[in-house]
Amino acid sequence: MLGACAKTGDNPASASAPQASAGAGEVNLYTTREPALVQPLLDAFTADTGIKVNTVLLKDGLTERLAAEGERSPADVLMTVDTGRLLDVVEAGHTQAVKSQVLEAAIPAHLRSPEGQWFALSLRDRVVYADKDLDLSGFTYEDLADPKWKGRVCIRSGQHPYNTSLFAAMIAHDGAEKTEAWLRGVKANLARKAAGGDRDVARDILAGICDIGVANAYYVGRMKNAEEGSEQRSWGDAIQVVRPVFASAADTGTHVNISGAAVARHAPNHDNAVKLLEYLVSDSSQSLYARANYEYPVKPGVALDPVVASFGQMKVDPLPLAEVVANRKLASELVDKVGFDN
């Protein structure tokens, strides 16, 4: 049986690795996701299949842990958030290809590895929060640099993975030179220093510090469903969600990041690992993602949480996520070059 948690900052090389179990009724999950967000899905999987899920929470150091364990690693499924972090694990050689008609039918091609090395399980759309009284129909990401928004935009650090992913997508669509100019324009429009978290954008809109900001949509579900009279509820009630698209792309959509998973390279319970991934893209699991986490289902046609449904249907940017990830380093360099966080 696996240990329950590996704490942030643990030395992976010195961490005692759990003994691998090849029992037909188990699967070993290494995850960076908050336990409360995934446990309902894992409990449902066990109830439906009889397969026990042994979970190790790794807030940091997933790649290092796998490298230290090597071939003796008991990990079957690797689950994380952020496309870049997931592909870092893949590129380090810690995953294996999976061929599954169930996964291929459920997940659009641009949201999974062509070789079956990784799969998106839910979507985190990067949207605009706006004062609830503003009319922002037809808004684009490029509009954030329009001088009419000078002193009216809020955003967290440009070096946060949520933002470097968006900026990397902008590079893929518009090129580095135009993206640099766009970043300078967005910085010129900031109402305050690029800092804090996504929910702080809603807080500052309510406070009148800014009128619009960039954040992930799923936080709005948490805020609007917070306790009546709480601060977070007031933040959520003060804003509307607008899903921008890329103005320069002929076939365009809203930028998304993901939660995703892969089968570990040395998975001792390979078949159960694939069963878990397939279960997580079933209609029931995708609906649970939407209700419990307010994330957007990766599988088309799944019922949405009412708050998420109120944002309207989303067309996802069809740009392959691997192309976005390829531009992460350049995006980070541009953030520093323009002094975005200064």
Side-chain angles (χ1 to χ4, degrees), residues 93-152:
H94 297 308
T95 63
Q96 61 175 286
V98 169
K99 184 69 175 176
S100 164
Q101 292 183 352
V102 172
L103 294 171
E104 291 173 8
I107 305 171
H110 63 288
L111 299 175
R112 54 181 164 82
S113 161
E115 298 80 25
Q117 293 282 353
W118 60 269
F119 302 89
L121 299 176
S122 64
L123 307 179
R124 299 171 151 208
D125 38 325
R126 199 76 180 144
V127 300
V128 165
Y129 294 178
D131 183 283
K132 63 182 180 181
D133 295 325
L134 286 177
D135 181 6
L136 290 185
S137 58
F139 201 83
T140 70
Y141 291 109
E142 286 84 350
D143 288 337
L144 291 163
D146 189 320
K148 77 175 185 180
W149 297 109
K150 187 173 180 63
R152 302 171 67 186

Side-chain angles (χ1 to χ4, degrees), residues 318-338:
L319 184 73
L321 292 180
E323 292 186 32
V324 176
V325 172
N327 289 301
R328 279 186 308 157
K329 184 173 184 293
L330 179 54
S332 177
E333 291 171 352
L334 290 180
V335 168
D336 285 343
K337 182 178 180 180
V338 305

Side-chain angles (χ1 to χ4, degrees), residues 148-204:
K148 77 175 185 180
W149 297 109
K150 187 173 180 63
R152 302 171 67 186
V153 178
C154 286
I155 194 171
R156 73 192 305 162
S157 167
Q159 290 292 6
H160 191 278
Y162 294 164
N163 282 334
T164 54
S165 178
L166 171 61
F167 303 162
M170 185 69 75
I171 292 171
H173 282 299
D174 291 351
E177 185 176 345
K178 287 184 178 179
T179 301
E180 179 182 338
W182 175 76
L183 283 171
R184 292 186 187 279
V186 176
K187 177 177 171 56
N189 286 344
L190 295 182
R192 56 161 171 78
K193 183 176 179 179
D198 281 4
R199 278 173 279 202
D200 294 335
V201 172
R203 178 200 65 191
D204 290 348

Side-chain angles (χ1 to χ4, degrees), residues 18-70:
Q19 294 299 310
S21 170
E26 295 188 341
V27 63
N28 302 324
L29 171 68
Y30 280 18
T31 179
T32 66
R33 299 218 64 182
E34 298 174 31
L37 298 181
V38 296
Q39 197 58 50
L41 293 159
L42 304 179
D43 290 344
F45 172 72
T46 298
D48 285 359
T49 66
I51 299 171
K52 181 181 178 182
V53 182
N54 303 314
T55 305
V56 171
L57 171 64
L58 291 158
K59 289 186 178 296
D60 294 304
L62 174 59
T63 301
E64 293 80 4
R65 174 74 172 255
L66 293 166
E69 292 175 350

Side-chain angles (χ1 to χ4, degrees), residues 202-203 206 223 226-227 229-239:
R203 178 200 65 191
L206 175 62
M223 291 187 288
E227 184 179 353
S230 66
E231 278 191 329
Q232 291 209 33
R233 180 64 175 267
S234 67
W235 302 344
D237 289 344
I239 64 170

